[in-house]
Amino acid sequence: MESRVSKDTFCGVLGMEDKENSGEFVRRLVCLDTSASKLNYFHENEANESNEWSSREPDGNFNVCFLSVTADAASLRPKIPHCFYIIVSGRKHYFQASSEDEKQLWIKKLQDASRIMVPQHCSIVDGVETGFKVEVVGGVVLKTPINGVLDVTDEIDSDDSVHHSSSPYQHIEEEPIKTGYCIKQGLFRKSWKRRYFILSSSAFRYCRSTEDRTPIRIIKVLDILEVRPSIGIHLNRENVFEVVTQNRVFYVQAKSEFDRDSWILAITRCMQMARGPKVLVTSV
């Protein structure tokens, strides 16, 4: 069956693994609805019996906002041709296309739909500072105003109350070395939230916005073991870097490759000032 394409949807018949790790695939009509950020699926026979499938309730769906990886599964399932997988909320789901070209097309469509970019600019909407979420919808790049959080849910995680790094630290207002908005991954629920970051000579901290500068967390520069580009972990996110401490790795997404490298170099220089010249700059 050929794929059906409209402005906001991309549909086709795919094999879906019926039970996890069973290797048994059941044919489903799968529809990617970018306007609703949903990957819906229907029983193929029922969908083909009616041309009104688009108005029917799906048999199930995945929230594209929680889709973290879409990739070729050739190395993981070598005996299943044209196989690819997605990871949604930490769980892996396998699909089988009818051809190699169709597989690659689905991979690209899902990666484009789930890719989230850091706002490039800020503006004022109804008196509130906002950025723009950049999405690829039907092959067209759209900018949508957002208020504060890029994730579709304001999930409560460990960052919703003020935390300090493990070493004792008394917060003293210092001249900032670098500031700006980035997106940071939460510790438990792994949601990504837009935060305002402030780097000073002794601390790397982040707040909810430029208006609310009460630190959500303060990371003492002396507690940072390494700062480096993040490679191969968040495949659908660009320009991510890692701030490594003894107890946690903080994943932060910058608005561009240049901005990512600028944060890495600025934090590394603060580490050098705090510890001496033995700290090495990570290659970026």
Side-chain angles (χ1 to χ4, degrees):
M1 176 181 173
E2 294 183 357
S3 300
R4 308 176 190 177
V5 183
S6 66
K7 179 181 177 182
D8 297 322
T9 60
F10 179 78
C11 302
V13 174
L14 295 173
M16 284 183 60
E17 190 171 42
D18 192 30
K19 296 181 181 179
E20 190 173 3
N21 297 322
S22 68
E24 298 178 358
F25 288 77
V26 178
R27 288 170 65 83
R28 296 281 186 260
L29 174 64
V30 182
C31 297
L32 173 62
D33 184 351
T34 54
S35 63
S37 296
K38 297 289 186 181
L39 182 64
N40 299 314
Y41 57 88
F42 306 80
H43 289 295
E44 184 197 4
N45 292 337
E46 295 179 6
N48 288 341
E49 288 174 359
S50 172
N51 292 325
E52 301 300 323
W53 59 268
S54 59
S55 63
R56 294 178 54 249
E57 285 294 319
D59 296 296
N61 61 54
F62 302 101
N63 191 328
V64 175
C65 295
F66 300 132
L67 196 162
S68 58
V69 175
T70 303
D72 195 321
S75 61
L76 298 175
R77 297 288 181 89
K79 295 183 179 181
I80 301 176
H82 321 309
C83 188
F84 67 95
Y85 69 91
I86 64 176
I87 297 179
V88 181
S89 299
R91 182 179 174 184
K92 193 175 292 185
H93 303 269
Y94 287 91
F95 294 83
Q96 184 181 22
S98 59
S99 68
E100 194 67 19
D101 288 343
E102 186 184 41
K103 178 185 73 174
Q104 295 301 331
L105 182 58
W106 271 103
I107 290 174
K108 184 178 187 304
K109 290 287 186 180
L110 289 167
Q111 287 178 341
D112 286 345
S114 60
R115 181 172 288 115
I116 298 177
M117 300 293 293
V118 177
Q120 298 290 334
H121 306 285
C122 287
S123 61
I124 303 298
V125 177
D126 295 330
V128 179
E129 187 179 74
T130 183
F132 290 91
K133 180 173 67 174
V134 181
E135 302 173 292
V136 179
V137 179
V140 179
V141 178
L142 299 178
K143 289 185 177 181
T144 306
I146 58 172
N147 180 15
V149 179
L150 277 184
D151 208 335
V152 292
T153 57
D154 190 15
E155 295 181 303
I156 298 175
D157 63 14
S158 64
D159 294 335
D160 287 327
S161 56
V162 177
H163 289 259
H164 299 271
S165 55
S166 56
S167 300
Y169 177 75
Q170 182 179 1
H171 175 56
I172 301 174
E173 195 66 33
E174 297 176 304
E175 187 70 24
I177 294 173
K178 181 174 175 61
T179 63
Y181 278 102
C182 294
I183 302 176
K184 187 197 69 65
Q185 187 185 53
L187 176 60
F188 295 116
R189 300 196 181 184
K190 306 303 180 186
S191 59
W192 292 79
K193 296 183 179 181
R194 184 171 181 258
R195 299 300 188 210
Y196 186 72
F197 286 79
I198 304 171
L199 174 66
S200 64
S201 60
S202 64
F204 183 50
R205 63 188 188 272
Y206 52 87
C207 320
R208 287 182 173 80
S209 68
T210 54
E211 301 299 322
D212 180 6
R213 293 204 181 190
T214 303
I216 298 173
R217 183 180 290 268
I218 300 172
I219 307 169
K220 192 176 180 182
V221 167
L222 285 173
D223 285 341
I224 300 175
L225 304 178
E226 185 180 3
V227 57
R228 64 198 179 201
S230 185
I231 300 173
I233 298 177
H234 305 289
L235 300 181
N236 285 354
R237 289 184 178 269
E238 301 174 346
N239 313 314
V240 177
F241 64 95
E242 302 172 8
V243 179
V244 183
T245 67
Q246 183 176 359
N247 300 318
R248 180 180 172 186
V249 178
F250 294 85
Y251 295 101
V252 183
Q253 183 184 16
K255 64 185 178 182
S256 66
E257 183 178 358
F258 176 83
D259 192 47
R260 179 202 68 184
D261 295 347
S262 176
W263 276 110
I264 290 174
L265 290 174
I267 295 171
T268 302
R269 289 189 180 117
C270 289
M271 294 166 63
Q272 290 175 334
M273 289 188 293
R275 300 177 184 174
K278 291 184 180 181
V279 177
L280 298 177
V281 176
T282 304
S283 176
V284 294

